[in-house]
Amino acid sequence: MFTISRIKLAVIAGTAAVAVIAAGCSSNDSSSSAPETTSSTGASMPGMNHGGTTTSAQPATRTDFNAADITFLQMMYPHHAQAVEMAKLVPSRSQNPQLITLAKNVEQAQSPEMQQITTLLQAFGKGAPSATMGHEGMAGMMTADQMTALEKLSGPDFDTMWMRMMIEHHKGAIDMANTELAGGGNAESKAMAQAIVSSQQAEIDEMNRMLGKS
């Protein structure tokens, strides 16, 4: 009886060992073939493919443009942004109703054009433009020191400096617009350029009259 019992125990133990080994192998096989997953927080788990495409640049939805159009729009956006910034200084620093009205017209004309520029650039596959794109040295743009000096003035001194600065600013915009008219390919960009030439030249003439110049 004792010998038979020991034999039975040995057989049972051997069978259990084989089952444990088989279970271990099954677990390893299933983990190696399981699909990659993410954690509950959405983070990638080890072994996942981390490749992907950037979302900052969108595919162009239009083809009716050239490099001159892109340059014009990308430079005109910060140029307009500074003009709008200058226009917003006027109501709190000037007592000249004519200048206050002129500044309001500048803001009302150029703010919508900035939105149009953004829309066109995105349609051309370019990212949204920036108001500070490092174009301080481009035609007509005021330096940071000039803007600081203007902000410190008020009354007639402010009016005179503002108009002189805006005349130069407008001249720079007209130069860029004429370049677009000569080399651009997009009809909407060129229409904007023509509008800039017409409206800003009229404002230059008005400011020159206000400054007592011919």
Side-chain angles (χ1 to χ4, degrees), residues 92-200:
S92 61
R93 292 170 172 80
S94 176
Q95 291 78 48
N96 186 327
Q98 188 176 357
L99 183 60
I100 292 172
T101 298
L102 174 63
K104 183 178 179 180
N105 291 340
V106 169
E107 184 176 355
Q108 289 180 341
Q110 298 196 26
S111 291
E113 286 179 345
M114 290 172 69
Q115 181 57 55
Q116 184 182 0
I117 288 170
T118 299
T119 300
L120 283 171
L121 284 173
Q122 290 175 338
F124 297 163
K126 303 298 179 181
S130 169
T132 55
M133 295 179 66
H135 292 307
E136 188 175 89
M138 69 183 176
M141 287 287 278
M142 300 298 114
T143 65
D145 288 343
Q146 287 175 306
M147 292 296 293
T148 298
L150 180 64
E151 291 170 2
K152 292 178 179 179
L153 298 177
S154 62
D157 290 340
F158 170 85
D159 297 347
T160 298
M161 185 174 182
W162 189 92
M163 285 188 284
R164 288 175 176 170
M165 288 172 61
M166 188 60 78
I167 286 171
E168 293 305 310
H169 203 274
H170 277 12
K171 287 179 178 178
I174 290 172
D175 286 344
M176 288 191 289
N178 282 328
T179 299
E180 165 64 11
L181 290 171
N186 178 259
E188 291 173 67
S189 299
K190 296 181 77 169
M192 182 189 299
Q194 185 58 64
I196 287 170
V197 171
S198 300
S199 63
Q200 296 198 21

Side-chain angles (χ1 to χ4, degrees), residues 51-69:
T53 57
T54 178
T55 58
S56 61
Q58 300 296 324
T61 58
R62 299 175 59 166
T63 59
D64 58 332
F65 64 93
N66 60 21
D69 299 317

Side-chain angles (χ1 to χ4, degrees), residues 42-55:
S44 303
M45 299 297 285
M48 285 192 66
N49 178 13
H50 295 284
T53 57
T54 178
T55 58

